[in-house]
Structure formats: C-alpha cells, structure tokens
C-alpha cells in the first residue's frame, strides 16, 4: 500500500499520502463490529469515534503552526493503535491476543470469503478515481477540483450506508405476507435517495466545493454531474445486493458483475486521464455504477418474493 501510494502521489505530498493511507487502513482494527454485535454503542464512541476525534482536534494547532499535513495522519494512526490495545485489554479473553485455535478461526472465515471479496473489490474500485486521475494527469492543479467533487461524493455515501442498514434487517425479517412490499419500499427509498443525491451533487456540487475547499479547488459542473449519476446508480444497486442477492447466496453473481463493471470503469478512467480529460474519469465511475445496476437488476428481480395471495377463511 505504501509503495502504491508513494508512486501515485505528487511530489511534496508523498509523506502526507502514506501516513493518511496507514491511518485509514488501520481503521479495520476498529472494534466497531464488536459494539454493533453486542448492542453496546458506547464501545463505538469510546474506542473508535472519540480517539479519532481527539486525534483530529489535537492535530489542528500543530498543522497550523507547521503547515505539515502528515501530522494528522500520524496522530490518527497512533489513536487507532492505542484504542485497539485498550479495547483488547478490557474485553479480550484472559488477555489473549490471538485465537486459541487458529484452525477454527480460519474455518469460520472461509465461508465468508465471497462476501469479503465483494466488499474488497467494491471498496478498492470506489477509491480508484482520485488515484487514477492523480497518476495519469500530470498537473496537480488540474485534479484539485476533481478531488473536491470526490470528497463531497463520499460525504453523501454515508446516507446510502445509513439507509441500507435501516432497510436490510427490516426487509429480511418481514413476514411472507408483506415481504414483497418491504422490498419494494426499500428499493423506492434508495431510488429517491439516489435521485436527490444526484440532483444535489450536480446542481450544488461546484458551489459547495468552493465553500468547503476554496475557490481554487472548486469542482467543475461536468465532474459534479457525473459523480451525481454515480451516486444514483450506487444507491439504486444497494438494496439489490444487500437485501436480495447476498441473502440468497448469490455472491458469485455480485462478484462477477462487480468485477466486469470495475474493469470497464477503470479502463475508461485511465484512457480519460491519459487524455487529460479529468471529468471523463468521473464519467468512467458513472458508467461502471450504471453497468453494475443493470447487470444485477434482472437476477435480483427474480428473487423478489411473489405477491402474497389473499387467504380465504371458511366459516
């Protein structure tokens, strides 16, 4: 990861990029999964949110005084390490740091490799537009606005995750009589969210980026529109994957279409970047998300529960 980041980053920003990459990667050690699984939101606050917030708060005066952005990456990294150690000491079984039976742990993980591969491929691809634009477009100033649009896009993705989490358990735990209705409500909600996000990014993206990241880093309209299209199709495909295909054991279908759409999108992005067509990189992202949605729509629709028939009661 460090080697890739160092190769992609522009001169003068390599240390910043590497420290941020490490700080981001180590969030995988967050005990958030434990807090969610045990129904203890306090664990998320104490061992995840609070340490990272303190790291950000503590880094502000140092960054202002020195102008060195890597300070935040280092402090965020240290905060994650300290929080992980504190969590293990508090909740670990007898202070153990590794599974007592590694073989059992591996056997529990193997059945989930399909879902893990989907998450890995999707996350890696979703993070690719900015690195591709940075690596293929020679001038850093040409990609500054693109990075601003990408940041706003990622802010919006939190809403997709929140809505997806809300509807996943609701649709899967529904009674057979209203299962189809619940899936339809979830899909329509995600479509509405996608449409609202697409309009918001397309119409307000340039204005919001100028306020958040300065006029010099303002996103152009075309890039904002293409990111808005990406947002729409990503939101629309979320219930197909999480509520229908994955619960039905169709991980291979999702992984296949994720790979095909990602390959097409990356190829388009690279060609656009080498042509110095920065908005074209965002268009590649939009094309990929559209292909994924179209590819999954038919197999997901076949899994939609049949409409419940009215039940007649004699006597």
């Amino acid at each position: 990861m460090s080697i890739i980041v160092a190769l992609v980053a522009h001169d003068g920003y390599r240390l910043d990029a590497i420290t941020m990459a490490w700080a981001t990667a180590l969030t995988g050690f967050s005990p958030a999964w434990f807090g969610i699984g045990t129904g203890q939101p306090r664990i998320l606050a104490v061992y995840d949110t609070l340490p990272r917030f303190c790291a950000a708060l503590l880094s502000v005066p140092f960054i202002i005084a020195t102008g060195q952005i890597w300070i935040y990456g280092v402090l965020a990294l240290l905060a994650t390490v300290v929080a992980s150690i504190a969590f293990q000491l508090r909740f670990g079984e007898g202070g153990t740091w590794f599974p007592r039976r590694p073989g059992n742990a591996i056997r529990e993980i193997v059945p989930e490799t399909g879902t893990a591969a989907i998450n890995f491929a999707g996350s890696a691809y979703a993070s690719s537009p900015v690195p591709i634009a940075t690596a293929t477009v020679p001038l850093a100033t040409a990609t500054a606005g693109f990075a601003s649009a990408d940041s706003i896009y990622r802010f919006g993705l939190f809403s997709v995750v929140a809505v997806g989490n809300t509807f996943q358990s609701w649709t899967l735990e529904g009674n057979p009589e209203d299962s189809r209705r619940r899936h339809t409500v979830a899909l329509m909600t995600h479509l509405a969210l996608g449409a609202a996000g697409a309009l918001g990014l397309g119409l307000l993206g340039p204005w919001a980026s100028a306020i958040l990241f300065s006029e010099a880093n303002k996103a152009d309209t075309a890039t904002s529109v293409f990111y808005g299209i990406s947002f729409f199709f990503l939101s629309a495909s979320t219930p197909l994957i999480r509520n229908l295909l994955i619960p039905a054991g169709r991980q291979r279908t999702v992984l296949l279409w994720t790979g095909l759409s990602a390959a097409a999108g990356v190829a388009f992005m690279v060609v656009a970047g080498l042509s110095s067509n920065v908005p074209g990189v965002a268009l590649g992202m939009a094309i990929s998300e559209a292909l994924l949605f179209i590819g999954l729509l038919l197999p997901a629709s076949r899994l939609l529960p049949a409409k419940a028939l009215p039940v007649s009661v004699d006597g």
Side-chain angles (χ1 to χ4, degrees), residues 13-31:
Y13 295 95
R14 288 191 173 90
L15 182 59
D16 301 334
I18 291 173
T19 53
M20 282 301 302
W22 272 92
T24 303
L26 283 183
T27 57
F29 287 94
S30 166

Side-chain angles (χ1 to χ4, degrees), residues 153-168:
Y153 168 75
R154 298 192 186 286
F155 290 153
L157 292 184
F158 286 109
S159 63
V160 178
V161 174
V163 172
N165 289 340
T166 300
F167 280 105
Q168 187 177 40

Side-chain angles (χ1 to χ4, degrees), residues 59-84:
S59 66
V60 171
F62 291 102
I63 293 176
I64 294 176
T66 64
Q68 300 298 317
I69 303 175
W70 59 264
I71 294 175
Y72 167 71
V74 171
L75 290 178
L77 189 155
L78 292 175
T80 302
V81 171
V82 171
S84 299

